[in-house]
Amino acid sequence: MEHFTVLAVDPRSKARLGVLRTPHGQVETPVFMPVGTQGTVKAMAPDRLKALGVQIFLCNAYHLHLRPGEELVREAGGLHRFISWDGALLTDSGGFQVFSLAQLVRIDDEGVSFRSHLDGSLHRFTPERTIRIQETLGADIIMTLDECVGFPASFERERKAAERTVRWARRCREVFSGKGQLLFGIIQGGMNRDLRRFCAQKIVEIGFDGYAIGGLSVGEPKPLMYEMIEVVEPFLPEDRPRYLMGVGHPGSIVEAVLRGIDMFDCVLPTRNARNACLFTSRGKMNVDRAEFARDFRPPDPLCTCYTCQNFSRAYLRHLFKAGEILAAELATIHNLAFMVKLMADIRRALKEGCFLEFAREFLAVYGETP
C-alpha cells in the first residue's frame, strides 16, 4: 500500500486533502505538527496532546543527539517509548540548527563541524551520520541534511547551498535503510527562482517518500515566500506529501494550502502561548494586557478547549503577571487547540468543496499585508 493518498483536490486552487500512512498510524492532511524539539512539546504532556487531536509532532535530531544522545534513546526502546507517545513522529536532521547557530558552525562539502551550544564540545555531522542518528532515534519520518541560508543572501551563497543540499540528499538516500521509516528530501535555493527549480528537479530525481521546502520564513516578505512555493510546486510529484518547514502563522498556512502544501511545523503557536499571545477566532490576543484585568469572559467564546471552557481572560492575565507555570500550560492548550481546529476546518472545507470560501473568510481575519 502506498504511504500517501490524495483524496481530493480543490478545483479552484492547488489545495489537497490526503492521508499519510506511517508505522504509528494514519495522519490526515493538511496537518500542522507542533514542535517538540527536546522530545517534548513545551508545557504539554503527551496525553494532553492526544486529547487535543494532535496527530504527529516534530522532534529535533540535533538536540536529541547532544542530549540525551541517540544511543540512550535506543536503549530506552526508541523515541516513541522514551517520550511515551504512540502516534507518528518526525525528526528534523539539524540543518536549520546549523543555520540558526551559525556562529558555532563550520560547513564544508563533506558535512558540518559545530560546537555544542550546551558545553562547547566539538561535533561533526555528515549526511550519513544524520541518517544513522535518526534511524537510531526511530521516528516515523526522517529528513535529509540540508544547508539553509537566510534572507537576504547573495546568489553565490544561495547557489552553493542549493548544490550542496542536492549532493547531501543523494548521500542520505544512498545510506538510508528504509526499515520502518519514511525519508523526506529538502528543497533549498534561497529566494532565487532558477535555483529553486534546479534544486526541486534534482531532489525529485533522487526520489524520496516526501518533499519538504526549506529555507523559507527566514525573514523574507510573505509574498516572496508564496512565490517560492509556487515556483517549486509544479515539480513535486502529486503522490507524495509536501511539507513547508518552519511555517506556523495561521494565515500563512492557509495561503500555503491554497498553493498545494500538505504539512507544516513551527514553534510559533507554542512560543506565542508562553508569551501570553493567543490565537482566537477574532485574531491574536495579548492576554496579559491591562484591559483584561477584569475581563471574565473566556479567552475565545467560540473555542471549546479546556482553557476556554474553564478559565477567564482575567485569570490568565493574573497567571502571567504572577509568573505561574500554569499560564504557559493553559495558553499552550488553547493555541494548539486552535491549530488543530484550523487544520480540521481546512480538511472539512476541502471535503465539502468550499475551501476557497473558507480561505477568504479566514484570511479576512488572519491575512497578512506585505
Side-chain angles (χ1 to χ4, degrees):
M1 180 183 293
E2 280 293 322
H3 66 273
F4 183 70
T5 302
V6 176
L7 302 175
V9 178
D10 178 43
R12 296 176 292 172
S13 71
K14 299 282 188 177
R16 295 138 50 95
L17 179 72
V19 59
L20 172 63
R21 300 171 186 87
T22 81
H24 286 85
Q26 292 191 162
V27 175
E28 295 178 310
T29 63
V31 65
F32 175 77
M33 301 180 287
V35 174
T37 300
Q38 309 275 6
T40 171
V41 177
K42 293 186 188 301
M44 295 292 287
D47 63 336
R48 180 69 77 179
L49 293 173
K50 184 166 288 188
L52 287 174
V54 171
Q55 304 178 75
I56 178 174
F57 69 90
L58 177 150
C59 300
N60 189 267
Y62 167 91
H63 289 282
L64 292 173
H65 167 70
L66 293 180
R67 181 177 56 195
E70 64 273 13
E71 287 302 323
L72 186 148
V73 172
R74 181 188 59 77
E75 290 174 27
L79 190 55
H80 293 83
R81 183 169 294 179
F82 186 56
I83 68 175
S84 192
W85 174 257
D86 61 4
L89 288 174
L90 181 149
T91 48
D92 189 5
S93 65
F96 183 76
Q97 281 64 44
V98 169
F99 160 71
S100 62
L101 301 171
Q103 69 276 13
L104 302 173
V105 169
R106 182 177 61 81
I107 304 174
D108 57 59
D109 285 343
E110 288 303 306
V112 182
S113 297
F114 62 92
R115 293 200 174 273
S116 166
H117 66 287
L118 300 174
D119 60 11
S121 58
L122 188 62
H123 297 262
R124 179 74 170 165
F125 270 12
T126 62
E128 294 80 6
R129 190 164 191 214
T130 59
I131 294 298
R132 286 196 298 271
I133 290 169
Q134 292 182 88
E135 288 182 334
T136 301
L137 290 170
D140 301 86
I141 301 169
I142 70 176
M143 307 299 298
T144 57
L145 183 64
D146 62 320
E147 184 178 356
C148 179
V149 297
F151 175 84
S154 69
F155 172 79
E156 189 62 17
R157 178 77 181 86
E158 292 176 331
R159 182 186 66 79
K160 286 183 178 179
E163 292 177 349
R164 190 173 278 152
T165 292
V166 170
R167 291 194 298 270
W168 286 357
R170 189 172 292 113
R171 289 165 58 185
C172 286
R173 189 71 185 84
E174 288 171 356
V175 299
F176 173 58
S177 70
K179 295 178 181 177
Q181 292 179 306
L182 303 174
L183 177 63
F184 283 23
I186 303 176
I187 295 163
Q188 292 287 350
M191 305 301 154
N192 184 283
R193 297 171 67 94
D194 290 337
L195 288 176
R196 284 284 174 180
R197 292 190 191 98
F198 158 79
C199 199
Q201 287 178 303
K202 294 298 182 182
I203 295 294
V204 171
E205 283 175 11
I206 295 169
F208 292 96
D209 299 309
Y211 296 92
I213 305 175
L216 295 179
S217 195
V218 292
E220 78 280 4
K222 289 294 176 70
L224 188 53
M225 176 174 75
Y226 303 143
E227 179 186 344
M228 292 302 105
I229 297 171
E230 292 169 1
V231 167
V232 167
E233 187 274 335
F235 296 95
L236 303 180
E238 294 182 0
D239 62 348
R240 293 291 184 266
R242 302 159 175 183
Y243 168 23
L244 181 59
M245 305 181 78
V247 172
H249 183 277
S252 296
I253 286 177
V254 171
E255 292 278 11
V257 169
L258 282 164
R259 292 164 171 82
I261 300 299
D262 308 302
M263 301 170 67
F264 304 86
D265 84 278
C266 193
V267 299
L268 184 68
T270 49
R271 179 179 288 169
N272 274 16
R274 297 193 303 277
N275 288 282
C277 180
L278 305 182
F279 293 135
T280 79
S281 56
R282 294 192 173 186
K284 289 195 295 185
M285 171 193 293
N286 293 310
V287 76
D288 60 347
R289 291 174 56 170
E291 66 188 276
F292 299 118
R294 287 178 170 80
D295 190 336
F296 303 113
R297 292 174 295 173
D300 186 348
L302 300 183
C303 180
T304 61
C305 80
Y306 171 77
T307 301
C308 290
Q309 292 300 298
N310 291 280
F311 304 101
S312 68
R313 300 172 184 183
Y315 181 61
L316 284 184
R317 180 180 186 274
H318 159 68
L319 292 177
F320 276 108
K321 290 302 182 182
E324 286 290 339
I325 295 172
L326 184 59
E329 181 181 3
L330 293 181
T332 302
I333 287 169
H334 170 77
N335 274 4
L336 288 183
F338 179 92
M339 299 302 292
V340 169
K341 182 179 185 299
L342 168 60
M343 305 315 293
D345 287 346
I346 289 172
R347 294 191 298 269
R348 187 178 305 109
L350 285 167
K351 289 176 186 175
E352 295 174 356
C354 59
F355 176 65
L356 206 57
E357 288 76 13
F358 167 83
R360 286 171 180 157
E361 184 176 335
F362 187 84
L363 291 172
V365 178
Y366 275 98
E368 291 189 319
T369 55

